[in-house]
Amino acid sequence: VCRAIDWDVWCGQARDQNLVDWVDKWICIAPHIEKKLRAEAQYRDGQLQLIRPGVNLEKFMFEEKKENFNIAMVTGDIWQMKNVTEGLMIFAMLVKQNESKPWKLHWRGQWADHAAYMEQAVKYFLESRGISNRVFLYQLDENMDTWYNKMCYILTPSIKEAFSYATAEGMSKGLKPIINNWYGSKDIWPEKYIYNTVDEAVKMFDGEINSYEYRKFIEYYYSNQRMLNEIDNFINYEKNYIKQG
């Protein structure tokens, strides 16, 4: 069984028809990933299945959010595809339009070896826009369930994602999502959570916060148990387990 996630697909790891035929079952995690796979190879009936990711909702406990000025941005490696400069531009404009409000950007990420210039670029951006004292970078060892507790928004400015677990985990905690319109995003997230321009993103911070709505969306569409059940059904886990036993 091969679970094709994202970067492996775009790099063409599934273009070799011999490799595709050798694998018994293929799983992909988003409609735009499935479209890419099917465009580059031939799959037997029932060989390739779209199974959307799931969040462990017991790990990310829900908390209704009261409006505050704390924004979460989770990028992991800080490189071009995470579009961090746009995220920072959104934050800079938000601060400029509401200078009296104590907006803060809490950023979980680490500098990537393959994008060494980003650290200097980000440092200059923060200093030149006068927001260095409002942006906080957190390391990988943070307990994300606890980390999200003080946040109210989850900003996802990426230009490439296969899903965005950060968005799903933030929503499961009750955070309001503000998501860039990256390729494939509208097949995963409701359009009302998606922005096309920096101005649109800034305006979304003024809207109502519906923590229960965000949590319910994840519970219905992206629960871990739903994903595991679909995987078991696809690979006939129970039937094969009994047969082998």
Side-chain angles (χ1 to χ4, degrees):
V1 178
C2 179
R3 187 167 181 252
I5 303 297
D6 178 26
W7 201 239
D8 47 350
V9 175
W10 299 112
C11 288
Q13 299 300 320
R15 290 176 187 156
D16 184 338
Q17 188 65 49
N18 290 325
L19 172 63
V20 170
D21 293 340
W22 180 77
V23 175
D24 294 312
K25 297 282 188 177
W26 287 86
I27 295 172
C28 59
I29 68 172
H32 66 291
I33 300 297
E34 180 181 17
K35 181 180 178 180
K36 179 70 171 175
L37 288 169
R38 292 193 183 280
E40 299 199 338
Q42 298 297 316
Y43 293 85
R44 301 183 298 275
D45 288 344
Q47 186 186 12
L48 172 62
Q49 179 73 32
L50 168 62
I51 299 179
R52 296 174 185 265
V55 177
N56 184 345
L57 295 173
E58 294 181 359
K59 182 177 179 181
F60 292 91
M61 304 302 294
F62 173 72
E63 180 181 85
E64 184 178 9
K65 298 296 179 181
K66 303 298 182 182
E67 185 176 8
N68 64 44
F69 304 99
N70 292 317
I71 304 166
M73 185 169 75
V74 180
T75 61
D77 279 352
I78 300 170
W79 68 301
Q80 288 84 346
M81 292 300 174
K82 295 301 181 179
N83 203 21
V84 297
T85 51
E86 181 172 282
L88 295 175
M89 181 64 75
I90 291 168
F91 182 70
M93 289 187 65
L94 182 65
V95 171
K96 185 176 181 180
Q97 294 180 15
N98 304 272
E99 291 186 4
S100 62
K101 296 182 179 180
W103 291 106
K104 293 182 175 63
L105 181 65
H106 302 271
W107 181 2
R108 224 308 291 144
Q110 64 274 343
W111 307 111
D113 292 338
H114 55 82
Y117 178 70
M118 289 299 296
E119 185 171 2
Q120 183 60 47
V122 167
K123 180 180 179 181
Y124 176 78
F125 186 98
L126 298 179
E127 292 176 350
S128 63
R129 275 67 171 183
I131 55 175
S132 296
N133 63 336
R134 292 175 178 256
V135 178
F136 305 90
L137 188 64
Y138 298 79
Q139 299 303 308
L140 188 61
D141 59 355
E142 293 291 328
N143 180 316
M144 295 306 292
D145 178 57
T146 302
W147 188 81
Y148 281 125
N149 284 339
K150 63 182 178 183
M151 312 301 175
C152 194
Y153 308 88
I154 176 72
L155 174 61
T156 307
S158 302
I159 60 173
K160 184 192 75 65
E161 294 283 355
F163 173 61
S164 181
Y165 261 102
T167 301
E169 291 167 357
M171 289 175 65
S172 71
K173 293 287 294 181
L175 276 62
K176 181 177 183 178
I178 299 173
I179 308 165
N180 184 33
N181 187 10
W182 42 266
Y183 173 61
S185 61
K186 291 184 178 180
D187 291 325
I188 300 171
W189 308 108
E191 193 165 349
K192 64 181 178 178
Y193 301 154
I194 296 172
Y195 70 85
N196 288 306
T197 68
V198 169
D199 287 340
E200 286 180 10
V202 172
K203 290 178 181 178
M204 291 173 72
F205 286 93
D206 292 332
E208 186 178 1
I209 297 169
N210 299 300
S211 292
Y212 287 101
E213 174 185 308
Y214 314 140
R215 173 73 178 198
K216 289 297 182 183
F217 179 84
I218 300 301
E219 288 179 346
Y220 187 83
Y221 289 102
Y222 297 120
S223 75
N224 197 48
Q225 191 58 55
R226 187 270 315 152
M227 177 189 70
L228 295 175
N229 289 341
E230 290 184 14
I231 292 174
D232 283 350
N233 291 335
F234 180 54
I235 64 176
N236 296 317
Y237 170 75
E238 184 175 354
K239 177 182 177 181
N240 291 333
Y241 180 76
I242 294 173
K243 182 178 179 181
Q244 293 174 10

